[in-house]
Structures are given as C-alpha cells and as structure tokens.
Amino acid sequence: MNLDFIPESARAAGLGAMMKGAGKLLRFVPIPQPTLLVGPGSSARLGQAVAGFGHAKTLIVTDAVIAKLGLLKDLTDALAAGGAAWATFDEITPDAPIPLIERGIDFYREHGCEAIVAVGGGSSMDAAKAIAVSIANPKKNLRSLAGYFKGLNTPIPIYAVPTTAGTGSEVTVAAVIADPERRSKLVIVDPRMVPKMAALDPSLCTGLPPHITAATGIDALTHAVESFVGNWATPYTDGMALSAVGLIFENLRTACSDGGNLQAREKMLLASTYAGMAFTRANVGYVHAIAHQFGGRYHTPHGLANAIVLPHVLRYSLPDITDRLAALAVRARLGDDSEREDLLAQKFIDGVVALERDIGIPTHLAALKEADIPNLARAACHEAHTGYPVPRYLTQQGCEDLIRLVLPPADPGRRAAKPAAKKTSARKPRGSTTSN
C-alpha cells in the first residue's frame, strides 16, 4: 500500500479510522487465556497435568541446546511418572523456517502424537503453534495458513514452557515463522492457538546468557509499549502493559547482571506474559513492522531488532503519544505525575535508551545496507498499514529515513549489532528422543 501520493492528513485520518474500527470489532473476538503455573518447579507441575489429560503421546518441541542442557528433565520425569508417552523434536532454530516446520509436522505424524508441549523461546513456541494448526488443517500449506483465521479446524492442544522472558508467545494468538524462499516472515493468527496451559519456571532461565536476556527483555518491553500507545488499547490491555513496563524497569538490569536471581527471572517471565496479554488484544506497531524485515532479510534476532528500532520509533511518534509516554514514565519510576507530560514523555524515551545502554544493546545494525532500505521500508509500511493500529503514520520516505538512523557508522569503534550466529550443536537423528 503506497500512501505517498495521498496528503498526510487524509492518509492518517483514513487509516486511523479504519484501524480503530477494526479494533472495535476485534474486542468481541474471544481470546482464551492459558492456565498459568508460576514458580520454580512449575514445568514439572505442567508435566503432571499433561500426563493426566490422557493424550496417547505428546510431542515436545524444543531446540538441541535445551535438550542437551537437561532442561526437559523435570517435565519428562513428570510425564513418565504419570504414565504418559512422549517424543522429542529438538531441531528448532531461531526464526524457524518453513522446511523445518514441515519436518516437525512429519515427525508428529510418524510418532502418533496427539498434543504438543513447546519448551524454549519464541521460535519453539511459534513452531509448535504452526505445527498444531497445520496438523489440524492438512489440506492447507503453511503459506496458505498465514494471516487471520485461515485454518478451518481447531489446532491440536498446545502447552508451553517458555525459557526466555520476551516473546509472550505462551499467551498470544500468533505464530511467526520464516519463509527463506521469499526472505520474509509469515504470521499465522488464530485465537485457538493459545496454549491451554503454560509454566513460568524461573529455574529454566538462570543459564540464559546476558545478551539474550537483554534482547528478549526489550522484546517484552516493546510489546508492552506498542500495545499501550496504539489505537487498539483498552483498559484491560493498559493494565497489563503498565504492569509489564514496571516489572521490566525494576528487574531487567538485575536479570542481566545476576542471571541466577530467581526473583528477577520470575518477575521478567511475568512481565513477558503480561506484555503478551496486552499486545494480543492491542497489537503492535512500526517497531515490529521494521524488525520483521530485519529478521527476514538479515536473520537478526527479533528481540534485538526490536531493541535497536524502539527508541527511534518512540521519538517519531512522540507528538501524538505524549500523554501515553508520560504514563509509562510514571509506572517505570522515571518521574512522578506532578511533572509536565512533555517532560515525562521525554524521560521515558531517555529511560529506554539508558536501559538499553546499561544492558549492552547495540545502537546500530551491522548487516543493514543502504541499498536494501527502500525495499525494507516498503515492506514495513505495508505490514504496519494493513495490520497495526499505529498512533502516527509514516510515509515511505519517512520510514526510509528512520531505518537509516540504524545504519552502521563509519567509525568501527562504535557498537553495532551482529547477525544471528548459526548454531553449531550437532543435530540428533530424525528419530530424536522417544519414550515408550
């Protein structure tokens, strides 16, 4: 959707009215919420519950690192104690691509599974959702399931154990997977994909490296902020978003510097979940639209891409969201409500920049190329203008200019983000791990 030839006032009025109308309609769409088990050992309690549900066999979807580190043990011990059978598909990679999801679908069928437990970060949970909806709708390929409510049949049951505090996928209606052929992301949206139960077990997060803790934590912050400042916000989503922002500003620095702090880890898991609940209803905005393009083209980890873009989108949007940013500043304890809104709003943006600096988030994207920017901006604007209730609209040129702000500087001494490293862990045979 190229809007550059439409006057900005008309464009903003038209798209804003359309998105607000869509938001009102979506308020009536029922979105289930999973039963949440919280605290150390909750993954074992989830295993006990799943064993009691009587599935003939459960597929565990995870990655090779989690399996190698033994993070599945409490879950699988509980399944075994309950007499439940399982099979483990541990091939998930960051930004899981379509061919990998298709292998997971085949693995599910080969092992006669009836449900899925996703253990890991957003990639594992999103892969599990994509497998679940595809299994239930075998006549449709993954590309044809992308979009809103494209699957006729209800996905098979999903349970989730997040091991990072960022995506909130354990409570969301969406699954994002990579389409390497088109160098883009596919987003499948269906409220029936929300997991039935989720375990927020901080003991599974203590070994998470600081740079991943940082990027995923800002991912959660982005969810909360974009849901709060967008045009689909409701009193319910506001409450969830504000709670998430408060928890993140209070605990993310500690989680990065003291990874074994269970209290900080648990609160970050809760923040991620609250932010997930907020953006499931209120949606996101330009930060995500641009970050998705970085991920699709350069394989930049999603949380890191969000973190790099977030301050710039907030600065651009400031004139239309001053009051909302002021409220976020108060909740983040960056100021108090006796101060002027414009000062508080700027304090929030400055607070985000300071938080990112303190936890080591880079300010530029090393992989970004000037020649790619027009296409990246075009795709980002299309994604945002056709799906997100952004508070202030960008033109194609405006989006290009914003993206240029994160080009790597000429000075090699400046910090710059590196592309996601490929995993080197040996892949297990396709049979992976299977119980009787």
Side-chain angles (χ1 to χ4, degrees):
M1 184 183 294
N2 190 335
L3 303 172
D4 289 339
F5 298 105
I6 303 173
E8 185 174 2
S9 59
R11 178 175 65 250
L15 286 172
M18 180 179 70
M19 283 299 166
K20 285 180 180 179
K24 289 180 180 179
L25 288 175
L26 286 174
R27 290 181 188 183
F28 297 100
V29 175
I31 297 177
Q33 291 186 0
T35 300
L36 293 177
L37 307 175
V38 183
S42 57
S43 60
R45 298 200 300 275
L46 183 139
Q48 294 168 356
V50 171
F53 292 148
H55 304 302
K57 183 177 282 188
T58 298
L59 177 66
I60 298 174
V61 174
T62 189
D63 64 60
V65 173
I66 286 175
K68 183 178 180 179
L69 291 175
L71 299 184
L72 302 178
K73 188 176 187 303
D74 288 352
L75 170 67
T76 55
D77 283 353
L79 289 172
W86 74 90
T88 303
F89 182 73
D90 64 358
E91 298 184 27
I92 302 303
T93 60
D95 292 323
I98 288 175
L100 177 55
I101 303 298
E102 291 172 341
R103 290 204 298 274
I105 293 167
D106 291 341
F107 188 92
Y108 179 98
R109 291 183 174 132
E110 289 167 5
H111 288 82
C113 298
E114 293 183 352
I116 297 177
V117 177
V119 183
S123 293
S124 292
M125 289 186 281
D126 285 359
K129 291 177 179 179
I131 293 169
V133 72
S134 185
I135 288 289
N137 296 276
K139 294 182 180 180
K140 290 194 170 187
N141 62 36
L142 286 164
R143 287 195 183 98
S144 66
L145 289 168
Y148 287 81
F149 316 113
K150 295 294 182 69
L152 177 63
N153 301 315
T154 301
I156 61 169
I158 308 167
Y159 310 92
V161 184
T163 59
T164 64
T167 69
S169 192
E170 67 275 6
V171 294
T172 67
V173 301
V176 181
I177 60 175
D179 185 342
E181 184 178 322
R182 300 178 183 178
R183 300 180 74 182
S184 63
K185 297 289 188 74
L186 295 180
V187 183
I188 302 170
V189 182
D190 190 326
R192 298 170 298 176
M193 291 194 305
V194 175
K196 309 295 182 187
M197 180 178 291
L200 308 184
D201 191 336
S203 62
L204 301 182
C205 302
T206 56
L208 203 63
H211 73 280
I212 297 179
T213 301
T216 54
I218 299 298
D219 189 18
L221 180 65
T222 304
H223 293 154
V225 171
E226 290 205 296
S227 67
F228 189 76
V229 302
N231 287 327
W232 288 0
T234 69
Y236 168 77
T237 63
D238 283 355
M240 292 291 103
L242 288 168
S243 294
V245 168
L247 287 169
I248 291 166
F249 270 87
E250 290 170 9
N251 295 281
L252 182 53
R253 287 181 175 90
T254 300
C256 290
S257 63
D258 180 12
N261 188 311
L262 286 175
Q263 184 178 32
R265 291 292 191 182
E266 183 173 312
K267 288 184 176 179
M268 283 303 302
L269 282 168
L270 285 169
S272 177
T273 297
Y274 294 160
M277 291 175 173
F279 90 86
T280 285
R281 277 288 182 192
N283 218 318
V284 289
Y286 280 120
V287 179
H288 275 75
I290 296 170
H292 286 158
Q293 313 320 312
F294 289 169
R297 184 166 293 269
Y298 306 121
H299 306 293
T300 309
H302 177 65
L304 178 59
N306 275 342
I308 293 170
V309 176
L310 177 59
H312 301 289
V313 172
L314 291 181
R315 291 189 188 103
Y316 170 78
S317 305
L318 175 60
D320 287 11
I321 58 172
T322 300
D323 59 333
R324 304 295 277 174
L325 294 180
L328 290 171
V330 173
R331 181 52 65 99
R333 297 184 180 179
L334 299 170
D336 62 68
D337 54 15
S338 66
E339 299 176 72
R340 285 185 3 224
E341 283 188 344
D342 59 329
L343 296 178
L344 285 170
Q346 188 58 52
K347 281 187 175 183
F348 183 74
I349 296 174
D350 293 343
V352 170
V353 171
L355 174 61
E356 292 193 355
R357 182 188 62 241
D358 291 349
I359 60 177
I361 296 293
T363 55
H364 297 83
L365 184 67
L368 181 60
K369 297 178 176 61
E370 171 67 38
D372 293 337
I373 289 177
N375 287 335
L376 292 169
R378 189 172 299 109
C381 285
H382 176 78
E383 179 176 324
H385 298 161
T386 58
Y388 300 155
V390 297
R392 188 185 185 201
Y393 283 90
L394 278 164
T395 62
Q396 168 74 17
Q397 186 60 53
C399 192
E400 290 182 24
D401 292 342
L402 191 149
I403 293 173
R404 284 191 180 92
L405 295 173
V406 302
L407 275 167
D411 178 4
R414 294 281 296 276
R415 287 185 300 156
K418 297 179 180 180
K422 293 183 179 178
K423 290 189 176 181
T424 56
S425 300
R427 180 179 291 174
K428 293 184 180 180
R430 285 196 64 206
S432 291
T433 305
T434 308
S435 76
N436 296 323

